[in-house]
Amino acid sequence: PLSTLRPRPTSFPPFLPFFLPVTSTQVGRISAYISMAHVVTSRMSSTSLAAQQVILSAFYSLTPVADSLSLTGQSYVPSLSGRRLAVYNRRLLTVGVLFGVLMSAAMTLLPLLSPLMTADPSVRLAVSSASPCVARAFLLHGVVCAAEGVMLGMTDLNFLSAAYAVAFFAAPAAFLRVKRMRSPGTVDVWRVFGAYNLVRGAVWTARVAWLSRREGRE
């Protein structure tokens, strides 16, 4: 019966410590994408809008590849400890680097595939101009997702929520600087996103390295 699927009040308390940190993490992550969309739709030409749609189609097709690393970390990290955990974290980040290279290489093929998505030569040119920036952003995307999965698996939730609380304000501020440019294009917002991924990749990797060293000493 359906009544057996209804959650019981006693099942809520174990999840309450995760609610605020995980929610702030998701909101902080989404703020960057919303800010990017706002700048593109409010300030750029119809050609840039069309190019952004083509790029996002490819971007969202490839991001699940990196998201799988986050899910892997969340699944396996809680069952490990000590040196085994440190070794696993290092291997997962290494796989993240490999995935980033593969996704970046796939994104460099977008100019060749763009005729399948648009017949407008100006849109194809805009896609070709922005593709290198998107490819560079993808280089670190695997590491970002892998490290995030490790931190979630190790319940390092306070750090993640604090980091994304900063990102909630910092990412929109960076994108709004593009909006104030004289003639911004699609390439400009992806440069900002690449810098955003660079900061996340550096901070996340340093945090996982610190957590791994701490676990290795225990």
Side-chain angles (χ1 to χ4, degrees):
L2 292 178
S3 59
T4 59
L5 301 177
R6 185 181 305 164
R8 298 178 180 178
T10 54
S11 64
F12 294 144
F15 294 95
L16 289 179
F18 297 89
F19 174 74
L20 186 58
V22 172
T23 300
S24 63
T25 296
Q26 296 300 322
V27 172
R29 183 188 293 116
I30 292 170
S31 69
Y33 296 108
I34 293 176
S35 303
M36 180 191 290
H38 167 71
V39 172
V40 173
T41 56
S42 66
R43 189 70 175 81
M44 297 185 186
S45 65
S46 57
T47 297
S48 294
L49 282 169
Q52 180 73 352
Q53 184 60 39
V54 172
I55 292 170
L56 287 177
S57 298
F59 181 83
Y60 290 130
S61 297
L62 290 172
T63 48
V65 176
D67 290 340
S68 65
L69 296 176
S70 178
L71 296 174
T72 301
Q74 295 174 57
S75 300
Y76 287 97
V77 165
S79 63
L80 303 173
S81 61
R83 288 189 57 81
R84 288 183 63 201
L85 176 58
V87 171
Y88 178 84
N89 290 348
R90 185 166 59 250
R91 289 176 177 173
L92 189 62
L93 292 185
T94 301
V95 175
V97 172
L98 176 61
F99 276 31
V101 170
L102 292 176
M103 290 186 295
S104 180
M107 185 55 68
T108 62
L109 300 177
L110 184 58
L112 300 177
L113 300 176
S114 61
L116 300 176
M117 304 178 187
T118 176
D120 191 325
S122 62
V123 175
R124 294 202 295 267
L125 180 61
V127 170
S128 298
S129 299
S131 291
C133 291
V134 185
R136 286 194 293 269
F138 259 129
L139 278 173
L140 288 170
H141 204 68
V143 171
V144 167
C145 291
E148 204 165 280
V150 169
M151 288 187 283
L152 287 170
M154 297 180 72
T155 63
D156 193 25
L157 302 178
N158 290 334
F159 173 82
L160 264 180
S161 60
Y164 272 115
V166 174
F168 179 80
F169 297 99
F175 280 110
L176 288 176
R177 289 176 63 87
V178 175
K179 186 177 180 179
R180 291 193 290 269
M181 294 172 64
R182 177 170 297 180
S183 55
T186 312
V187 65
D188 297 306
V189 292
W190 284 102
R191 281 175 181 157
V192 173
F193 186 82
Y196 170 67
N197 250 10
L198 177 62
V199 172
R200 284 198 303 169
V203 174
W204 279 202
T205 302
R207 181 66 175 182
V208 169
W210 181 82
L211 292 171
S212 297
R213 284 196 302 270
R214 187 186 68 179
E215 283 290 323
R217 290 194 297 265
E218 294 179 358

